[in-house]
Amino acid sequence: MTKLLHALARRLAAGGFDGVARHGDRLGALLWHCLPGRRRQAAQAIARHLGVTQQEAERIARESFAHNARSFLELVLVDRFGFEQEGTRLEIADQELFRRFFATERPIVVTTAHLGAWELMASLMGQWHQDRPRMVVVRRNGSKSINDFIFAMRGARGVQVVDHRNAVFTVLKGLKRNGVVGFLVDHNTRRDEAIFLPFLGEAAAVNMGPALLAVRAEAEVWSTFLVREGDRYRLLIDEPLDTATLDGDRADKVEAVARFYTEAVERAVRAHPEQWFWMHKRWKTRPKQGD
């Protein structure tokens, strides 16, 4: 199975970025027609949380299916995307923040979302200071063959892919060596892993794990997103949060960090709604009565 997946990946990658984009659009259209439940769910969530008409919500939802499909297929291009393409396929939105990100000697927690070309973020993470640990923490797939394939693809440019179930020791060790660790922070999570915060106007279960690890390591937290602009990619970087400057006890600091990256995701989603993963059941876990 793993060999077959790698063979299919090589064939898909042979078409380059334009080929992956075409296949992504086709796959998105297929999913739109084959998943009516997810289609309705996405449109309803958009109308409810962005306050747009149903017609506009359906347009955004349909575009999001195409963007999300491209994101999944871009996994096969991780080994051929990077900062060397700046000025052609890649644009850095804020050069000063970009310079500061690369110049800092502090441990870094990078937070991003299932928005834009999120799989290609692993390419950029792998090119950060190569003498320091570089990791991405991901949720493990139930199939060993698929999981091994995904881990291999994401690690193609040198980043270490870490299973979220066994991440704490590995991540803290890497951060203590002034490494950089990336997390996707916009997915629903279990109540025992969550802190409930407003997200797009409704309380959402926010994974507090990245915040807790950042606080324990006194790391800087950088929110970054890689969005598509036609056939190009634009790297967005927000002003960082230095956890060493936070006041209060550990719980206060963890909440401040979780709120920081949740608000960053919300701004990115509002700016690029068609590129977010609306078919995900983001608000599935609900607060207990009285929370």
Side-chain angles (χ1 to χ4, degrees):
M1 179 66 170
T2 303
K3 290 182 179 179
L4 175 60
L5 289 171
H6 280 280
L8 291 173
R10 287 192 296 271
R11 183 168 182 176
L12 180 60
F17 287 85
D18 292 339
V20 165
R22 287 193 300 273
H23 287 299
D25 289 342
R26 292 167 186 160
L27 177 60
L30 178 64
L31 293 174
W32 178 259
H33 288 291
C34 293
L35 300 175
R38 292 288 183 171
R39 185 173 69 216
R40 287 192 297 271
Q41 175 191 302
Q44 289 169 1
I46 292 166
R48 177 176 178 179
H49 295 98
L50 297 185
V52 298
T53 65
Q54 190 63 31
Q55 182 179 9
E56 177 67 1
E58 289 179 5
R59 181 195 67 79
I60 293 171
R62 187 163 191 155
E63 288 189 26
S64 78
F65 271 62
H67 275 285
N68 299 157
R70 281 183 63 178
S71 298
F72 289 121
L73 296 187
E74 282 166 344
L75 185 66
V76 307
L77 298 173
V78 168
D79 66 343
R80 59 182 69 187
F81 181 78
F83 289 119
E84 69 275 5
Q85 292 169 312
E86 184 182 354
T88 56
R89 193 170 296 278
L90 174 66
E91 179 182 354
I92 309 298
D94 190 319
Q95 289 288 344
E96 175 57 23
L97 279 175
F98 179 68
R99 184 198 64 77
R100 285 170 52 194
F101 175 79
F102 262 84
T104 185
E105 297 183 358
R106 297 282 304 287
I108 290 178
V109 166
V110 171
T111 61
T112 191
H114 295 85
L115 181 143
W118 72 77
E119 290 290 3
L120 294 181
M121 288 290 290
S123 305
L124 306 183
M125 294 279 291
Q127 292 180 284
W128 198 69
H129 294 278
Q130 297 189 12
D131 58 335
R132 292 155 71 176
R134 294 150 292 139
M135 306 174 188
V136 292
V137 178
V138 302
R139 290 181 177 270
R140 189 173 188 86
N141 190 279
S143 165
K144 184 179 185 305
S145 296
I146 294 176
N147 190 77
D148 291 347
F149 168 75
I150 292 174
F151 273 41
M153 292 290 102
R154 286 174 171 160
R157 293 216 69 167
V159 73
Q160 180 183 355
V161 184
V162 180
D163 180 353
H164 80 286
R165 295 177 300 183
N166 304 303
V168 174
F169 176 78
T170 301
V171 167
L172 282 176
K173 183 178 178 181
L175 290 173
K176 293 296 185 181
R177 294 172 55 200
N178 290 338
V180 57
V181 184
F183 295 89
L184 287 157
V185 295
D186 62 329
H187 49 72
N188 185 63
T189 191
R190 300 195 314 260
R191 187 174 283 108
D192 61 347
E193 298 176 333
I195 180 171
F196 285 91
L197 296 170
F199 178 63
L200 294 173
E202 184 176 357
V206 176
N207 189 343
M208 61 183 174
L212 180 59
L213 291 167
V215 169
R216 288 182 63 179
E218 292 194 335
E220 293 179 351
V221 182
W222 292 72
S223 293
T224 65
F225 307 92
L226 187 64
V227 299
R228 298 189 193 86
E229 294 185 347
D231 61 354
R232 295 164 62 91
Y233 301 88
R234 182 174 175 86
L235 182 64
L236 308 177
I237 306 175
D238 287 352
E239 188 73 30
L241 173 68
D242 185 351
T243 62
T245 67
L246 294 175
D247 295 324
D249 59 19
R250 177 172 288 184
D252 294 331
K253 294 177 181 179
V254 168
E255 180 175 343
V257 176
R259 189 178 298 276
F260 171 80
Y261 55 65
T262 300
E263 290 175 351
V265 172
E266 177 167 334
R267 289 193 299 272
V269 172
R270 290 190 182 279
H272 307 277
E274 73 287 346
Q275 297 195 36
W276 192 51
F277 194 48
W278 287 99
M279 68 179 79
H280 172 60
K281 296 181 179 179
R282 180 62 189 92
W283 293 269
K284 179 179 179 180
T285 302
R286 306 307 306 145
K288 292 181 179 179
Q289 290 288 346
D291 284 0

